Amino acid sequence: MDESSRSDRTEQVVAQDWKEWSEAGLARLLWRYARLNHQELAPVARLDEWPTAQQEAIASEWCRTLLYRLLVPVLSGVILRGRLMALPLPSLCLHLSSALTTEGVELPEAPLDLQERWPDVGNKMATALGLQEFLEQTLQPLFQRMSGVANCRERLLWCSAACYWQWWLQTPELESAMAALPAEALTQARERLLVARLFIEQSVLPCQRCEGGECPRNPMHQPLRWRHKEGEQVPVRKVCCQRHQIPGLALCSYCPHLFAPPRTRRDDQSEQE
């Protein structure tokens, strides 16, 4: 074991704010996170010294808490108040725990009012445009950076984001928050909720930008598929999160490998093509 990996193993990590989205900064964060939380991995000095499949699994696991902490406030703000949290990746600040997982996201003090940002298009279309802007400014560059730094397929991360997206729209917490709204606000919130659901139900994005051409493909379309298990229909992820590539981590309950043996990355690429 070299000195850099030995010293990092005993490093005292404290909760911190983090927004170093350069490739080098993100690579080091993922490496430190993996050394701290998954000590069964081989002791290496850099992220890119692990096998490609393990790099992808590390990025996928680290993104779990980030996506949760990111999507819940953004979706809630859009649906309940018609306001969009503008969170472009270069200025996105994370509150990291001592385990280097995301405990929170620094939110803007003045969220964008959807109706003011897109006047004269109506409540539903303003919602669609706002959510698409979030995908383009935050999620897409995040996943592209993860792909470049950790060899993590973007379609894997889009599937993870869509699973959290779908889960939050169905939670009792969101339902209770909507029920507490005044009648007029509730009507508009229900419209925005329907639009948010289209982002996981439609094969193309529900926006205005397809006039005169093809609508953009929806990367979050149907993140879960249904399979038969013991006489019942159970939800299964469309793309495996690859957590089983990290020693000591089992398949999740939504894993497609529960119904078929794990495949190679080449198999997954062929399916995509």
Side-chain angles (χ1 to χ4, degrees):
M1 182 187 301
D2 58 44
E3 289 299 321
S4 62
S5 58
R6 181 183 292 111
S7 62
D8 192 80
R9 178 81 68 156
T10 58
E11 176 185 6
Q12 295 297 314
V13 180
V14 296
Q16 58 191 280
D17 289 346
W18 186 89
K19 56 179 179 180
E20 192 179 348
W21 291 105
S22 67
E23 290 191 359
L26 182 57
R28 175 162 176 81
L29 174 64
L30 293 174
W31 173 73
R32 293 177 65 218
Y33 158 79
R35 293 305 308 274
L36 185 65
N37 294 279
H38 304 293
Q39 297 186 7
E40 298 83 359
L41 288 164
V44 299
R46 300 192 314 271
L47 176 69
D48 61 8
E49 292 182 3
W50 278 305
T52 298
Q54 289 187 338
Q55 293 178 47
E56 180 176 57
I58 291 164
S60 174
E61 275 295 293
W62 183 79
C63 279
R64 287 161 62 93
T65 55
L66 169 58
L67 291 173
Y68 169 74
R69 298 294 184 184
L70 191 59
L71 288 172
V72 169
V74 169
L75 288 173
S76 298
V78 168
I79 293 169
L80 297 173
R81 299 188 297 141
R83 294 183 177 272
L84 175 67
M85 309 283 185
L87 296 167
L89 184 66
S91 59
L92 181 63
C93 181
L94 308 183
H95 305 310
L96 299 181
S97 70
S98 58
L100 297 181
T101 56
T102 305
E103 282 195 331
V105 175
E106 187 172 304
L107 301 175
E109 295 182 1
L112 302 174
D113 185 289
L114 295 176
Q115 296 285 1
E116 292 181 2
R117 179 66 180 274
W118 292 282
D120 304 322
V121 300
N123 184 39
K124 290 183 178 180
M125 184 54 65
T127 301
L129 293 172
L131 290 175
Q132 183 170 348
E133 184 165 291
F134 169 64
L135 265 60
E136 294 174 347
Q137 289 191 355
T138 308
L139 295 186
Q140 184 174 2
L142 169 63
F143 298 162
Q144 289 173 342
R145 181 57 49 88
M146 283 290 175
S147 176
V149 167
N151 290 290
C152 189
R153 290 163 295 164
E154 293 179 39
R155 63 193 299 260
L156 184 162
L157 297 173
W158 280 117
C159 183
S160 295
C163 286
Y164 280 111
W165 189 295
Q166 180 171 333
W167 162 78
W168 181 245
L169 298 188
Q170 298 172 342
T171 57
E173 291 84 355
L174 181 60
E175 183 178 349
S176 297
M178 291 182 62
L181 295 173
E184 183 176 352
L186 176 59
T187 298
Q188 293 204 331
R190 284 174 173 165
E191 288 183 349
R192 293 191 289 265
L193 175 60
L194 290 174
V195 173
R197 286 175 176 161
L198 294 179
F199 278 79
I200 52 174
E201 295 174 355
Q202 287 191 177
S203 60
V204 295
L205 291 173
C207 68
Q208 240 181 2
R209 303 179 189 179
C210 54
E211 294 181 359
E214 293 186 1
C215 292
R217 184 183 68 85
N218 181 7
M220 297 199 300
H221 179 229
Q222 293 183 348
L224 298 174
R225 296 170 174 174
W226 294 91
R227 296 288 186 267
H228 286 284
K229 183 179 181 180
E230 298 177 355
E232 295 184 358
Q233 290 264 53
V234 295
V236 176
R237 280 180 61 111
K238 183 163 60 176
V239 183
C240 174
C241 71
Q242 298 296 311
R243 71 192 307 265
H244 64 281
Q245 299 287 353
I246 299 176
L249 296 188
L251 301 177
C252 73
S253 59
Y254 296 98
C255 186
H257 299 327
L258 295 173
F259 298 84
R263 303 182 303 172
T264 66
R265 286 167 60 93
R266 180 178 297 179
D267 291 333
D268 288 330
Q269 182 65 30
S270 296
E271 180 185 273
Q272 183 180 16
E273 294 172 352

